[in-house]
């Protein structure tokens, strides 16, 4: 690492990074013991003297690669990553750089010190076919934390199986993208070197200005204005492009901006925030398709909501026009297809439902019928590449919701079909079932006093108490693996 890198940033971050454990930067003390009561994205929590406290990670080994370069080791193997170069991952402690030991199992871990291959992978056809799926190390760590809170041996066995399946990695902030994109591209290359197989990694691109305009629980960091659109382009999409160009030897799938375009189909007139965001959704998609859709090892899928969002005839017809316009605006970039049911619970097949009053006369009351219908609509709208990836992470069992529009932390959840390519005979346009929303990560908080509280998370069939969106929800995870269909 070069000394010319400005340490002014390190000084500014020193107070945060030099904490003895992660919770001090969140204004909570460190625990004196190690009994885990709760786990979220920040770390493991205990309770002492009636107050939450953070459980520190075990100290890193006394030696690491950075010593040879004149820098100390970070005090924790899970230290926050502030910079990555050819040597490894760097943290900041006491106003100085420190090296994070290789072999860390933290959320930003991936492949360690990996030299990018000069080989160019080119996707031809279904990107999920003929490849091995990348195992997300952050999710493995989350499940390990969940297992630590279990005592039922049969439940533990089911949770252990969850660690063997692939799911998507969400790049939901600029910081998370900086921490997780390159490290997991490196991890995929390492997995390739170990298995000798091509490794597919799936990322969710999710940081549009004015994100999730019709919901509160998952609003993003960037606002619907010109300045934040410029940040989205330069600090987010351009950085993603740079890393994807560097790590070009393995296939990558990008799930693009869930809920955004579906909101443009149905919510422009009813939701002022969506009207305010329209310009930025359209410009953001055009920019990312132009930048990322020309990379031969990358396949992109635009989100199309779910059966009880765009399933009605008039919505599907309007969607065809919106999506055709968006794809055209990104030329010469290519879009492989579309993804449905992301973070939702709609069953793949539900023979108990039909077009009638119970479904508000929706002709597509499950995801299978939805894709069958919308594939025809999109082709009629002039869209040339119409393929689908269906999120099956939480639709294995029909949930308890009383209205199909209920979307937040639904009770009765069950993990669904396992990730697999070409899963349904006779549906050659269905590229894959895949776990896009990781089971166990909350849809949104049930705390009515929280700034991001959404009323849907307080409804009768929403499990409570629930943490903020993206944080670990132990009870929901346990119910999901108990109700898995097929069983784990």
């Amino acid at each position: 690492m070069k000394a010319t890198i400005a340490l002014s940033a390190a000084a500014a971050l020193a107070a945060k990074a030099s904490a003895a454990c992660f919770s001090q930067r969140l204004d909570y003390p460190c625990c004196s013991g190690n009994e885990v009561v709760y786990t979220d994205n920040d770390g493991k929590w205990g309770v002492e003297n009636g107050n939450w406290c953070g459980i520190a990670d075990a100290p890193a080994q006394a030696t690491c690669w950075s010593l040879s370069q004149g820098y100390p080791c970070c005090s924790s193997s899970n230290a926050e990553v502030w910079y990555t170069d050819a040597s490894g991952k760097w943290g900041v402690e006491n106003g100085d750089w420190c090296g994070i030991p290789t072999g860390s199992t933290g959320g930003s871990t991936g492949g360690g010190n990996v030299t990018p291959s000069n080989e160019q992978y080119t996707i031809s056809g279904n990107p999920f076919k003929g490849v091995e799926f990348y195992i997300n190390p952050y999710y493995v760590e989350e499940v390990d934390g969940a297992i630590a809170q279990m005592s039922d041996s049969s439940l533990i066995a089911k949770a252990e199986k969850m660690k063997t399946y692939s799911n998507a990695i969400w790049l939901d902030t600029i910081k998370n993208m900086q921490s997780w994109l390159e490290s997991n591209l490196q991890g995929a290359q390492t997995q390739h070197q170990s298995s000798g197989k091509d490794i597919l990694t799936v990322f969710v691109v999710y940081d549009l200005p004015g994100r999730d305009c019709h919901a509160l629980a998952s609003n993003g960091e960037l606002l619907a204005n010109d300045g934040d659109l410029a940040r989205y382009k330069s600090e987010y999409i351009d950085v993603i492009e740079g890393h994807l160009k560097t790590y070009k030897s393995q296939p990558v799938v990008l799930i693009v901006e869930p809920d955004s375009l579906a909101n443009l189909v149905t919510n422009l007139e009813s939701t002022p925030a969506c009207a305010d965001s329209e310009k930025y959704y359209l410009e953001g998609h055009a920019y990312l398709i132009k930048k990322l859709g020309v990379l031969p090892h990358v396949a992109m899928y635009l989100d199309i909501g779910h059966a009880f969002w765009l399933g009605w005839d008039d919505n599907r017809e309007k969607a065809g026009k919106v999506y055709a316009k968006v794809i055209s605006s990104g030329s010469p970039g290519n879009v492989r297809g579309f993804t449905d049911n992301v973070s939702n619970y709609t069953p793949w097949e539900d023979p108990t439902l039909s077009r009638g009053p119970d479904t508000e006369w929706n002709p597509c009351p499950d995801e299978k019928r939805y894709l069958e219908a919308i594939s025809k609509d999109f082709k009629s709208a002039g869209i040339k590449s119409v393929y689908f990836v269906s999120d099956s992470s939480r639709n294995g069992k029909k949930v308890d919701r009383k209205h199909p529009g209920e979307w937040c932390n639904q009770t009765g959840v069950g993990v669904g079909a396992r990730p697999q390519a070409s899963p349904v005979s006779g549906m050659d346009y269905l590229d894959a079932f895949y776990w896009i929303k990781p089971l166990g990560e909350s849809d949104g908080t049930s705390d009515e006093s929280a700034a991001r509280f959404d009323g849907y998370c307080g409804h009768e069939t929403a499990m409570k108490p629930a943490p903020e969106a993206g944080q670990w929800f132990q009870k929901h995870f346990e119910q999901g693996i108990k109700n898995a269909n097929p069983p784990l």
Side-chain angles (χ1 to χ4, degrees):
M1 182 168 180
K2 302 212 180 276
T4 54
I5 294 175
L7 278 174
S8 57
L13 297 168
K16 179 178 179 181
S18 61
C21 66
F22 72 90
S23 61
Q24 287 186 330
R25 68 175 184 261
L26 302 172
D27 296 325
Y28 290 94
C30 300
C31 298
S32 58
N34 58 6
E35 183 178 356
V36 177
V37 175
Y38 179 74
T39 301
D40 63 14
N41 286 346
D42 293 307
K44 296 179 176 66
W45 297 85
V47 175
E48 291 181 356
N49 301 317
N51 192 24
W52 290 104
C53 57
I55 299 173
D57 297 312
Q61 295 181 4
T63 60
C64 68
W65 52 268
S66 62
L67 290 175
S68 63
Q69 300 186 34
Y71 292 92
C73 304
C74 296
S75 60
S76 170
S77 60
N78 288 334
E80 191 165 5
V81 177
W82 292 107
Y83 184 79
T84 301
D85 63 11
S87 300
K89 296 180 175 63
W90 297 85
V92 177
E93 292 183 354
N94 301 316
D96 198 6
W97 294 102
C98 59
I100 300 173
T102 55
S104 159
T105 58
S108 57
T109 358
N113 300 326
V114 176
T115 302
S117 170
N118 288 325
E119 296 180 10
Q120 175 66 65
Y121 187 96
T122 298
I123 291 175
S124 177
N126 183 352
F128 291 85
K129 202 167 185 177
V131 297
E132 183 175 289
F133 298 161
Y134 179 64
I135 300 300
N136 179 355
Y138 178 61
Y139 189 69
V140 170
E141 183 181 345
E142 285 188 309
V143 175
D144 281 336
I147 291 171
Q149 302 176 55
M150 298 176 182
S151 56
D152 184 329
S153 60
S154 64
L155 198 62
I156 291 172
K158 294 177 188 296
E160 289 287 353
K161 290 181 181 178
M162 290 292 291
K163 293 160 41 179
T164 67
Y165 294 105
S166 178
N167 56 35
I169 299 162
W170 287 63
L171 310 177
D172 56 353
T173 65
I174 291 170
K175 178 184 171 185
N176 285 344
M177 179 274 295
Q178 292 169 337
S179 296
W180 296 343
L181 177 59
E182 184 177 26
S183 61
N184 285 292
L185 291 171
Q186 291 176 340
Q189 191 165 318
T190 300
Q191 189 174 325
H192 164 71
Q193 292 169 350
S194 174
S195 70
K197 299 179 180 179
D198 294 321
I199 307 300
L200 175 69
T201 310
V202 179
F203 295 99
V204 180
V205 176
Y206 188 53
D207 203 24
L208 268 175
R211 187 181 77 192
D212 250 0
C213 59
H214 192 63
L216 295 176
S218 46
N219 288 161
E221 63 183 348
L222 301 179
L223 303 180
N225 59 54
D226 292 346
D228 278 1
L229 176 63
R231 290 192 64 200
Y232 179 74
K233 292 178 178 179
S234 64
E235 298 180 37
Y236 187 71
I237 296 301
D238 288 355
V239 177
I240 292 173
E241 177 194 28
H243 287 312
L244 292 178
K245 284 183 173 179
T246 299
Y247 296 91
K248 58 185 181 180
S249 66
Q250 300 300 308
V252 170
V253 158
L254 300 179
I255 306 298
V256 176
E257 299 293 352
D259 293 352
S260 57
L261 296 181
N263 273 315
L264 298 190
V265 176
T266 63
N267 293 321
L268 285 180
E269 296 179 1
S270 62
T271 308
C274 292
D276 293 341
S277 299
E278 180 183 17
K279 167 187 174 182
Y280 304 104
Y281 285 13
L282 294 176
E283 286 194 33
H285 275 84
Y287 189 81
L288 71 89
I289 294 171
K290 288 176 183 177
K291 286 278 188 172
L292 309 178
V294 296
L295 304 177
H297 64 298
V298 174
M300 291 197 298
Y301 296 81
L302 307 184
D303 181 69
I304 55 167
H306 53 84
F308 280 96
W309 190 342
L310 301 183
W312 289 266
D313 294 343
D314 54 345
N315 284 347
R316 297 195 322 272
E317 181 182 0
K318 185 176 180 181
K321 296 175 182 176
V322 170
Y323 285 81
K325 176 182 176 182
V326 167
I327 293 170
S328 176
S329 73
S331 180
N334 297 307
V335 171
R336 167 69 182 177
F338 309 90
T339 185
D340 69 292
N341 209 37
V342 173
S343 301
N344 208 266
Y345 302 87
T346 310
W348 173 247
E349 290 186 279
D350 188 350
T352 68
L353 294 180
S354 60
R355 186 172 194 167
D358 290 344
T359 62
E360 298 180 1
W361 305 99
N362 185 349
C364 305
D366 58 33
E367 293 304 306
K368 182 178 181 182
R369 280 177 277 186
Y370 175 47
L371 296 191
E372 288 173 340
I374 205 167
S375 64
K376 298 175 183 176
D377 294 309
F378 277 13
K379 289 175 182 177
S380 296
I383 299 174
K384 295 179 180 179
S385 185
V386 182
Y387 298 91
F388 299 95
V389 177
S390 191
D391 189 352
S392 59
S393 61
R394 306 189 301 177
N395 69 345
K397 178 180 178 291
K398 192 172 182 178
V399 293
D400 299 332
R401 61 189 180 186
K402 296 181 178 180
H403 184 277
E406 302 277 2
W407 55 265
C408 190
N409 298 321
Q410 291 300 287
T411 56
V413 64
V415 68
R418 312 302 179 254
Q420 56 183 308
S422 305
V424 179
S425 176
M427 293 185 73
D428 57 356
Y429 50 87
L430 179 63
D431 279 349
F433 287 145
Y434 192 78
W435 291 355
I436 299 173
K437 170 75 173 185
L439 176 71
E441 294 185 2
S442 175
D443 293 322
T445 181
S446 59
D447 180 359
E448 295 183 13
S449 66
R452 298 175 72 192
F453 172 73
D454 190 295
Y456 278 96
C457 300
H459 285 192
E460 181 182 350
T461 59
M463 188 179 287
K464 309 173 196 68
E468 289 279 2
Q471 294 184 358
W472 189 255
F473 195 176
Q474 181 77 11
K475 186 178 178 182
H476 207 239
F477 174 76
E478 291 185 6
Q479 186 175 79
I481 60 177
K482 286 178 183 177
N483 291 336
N485 178 31
L488 288 164

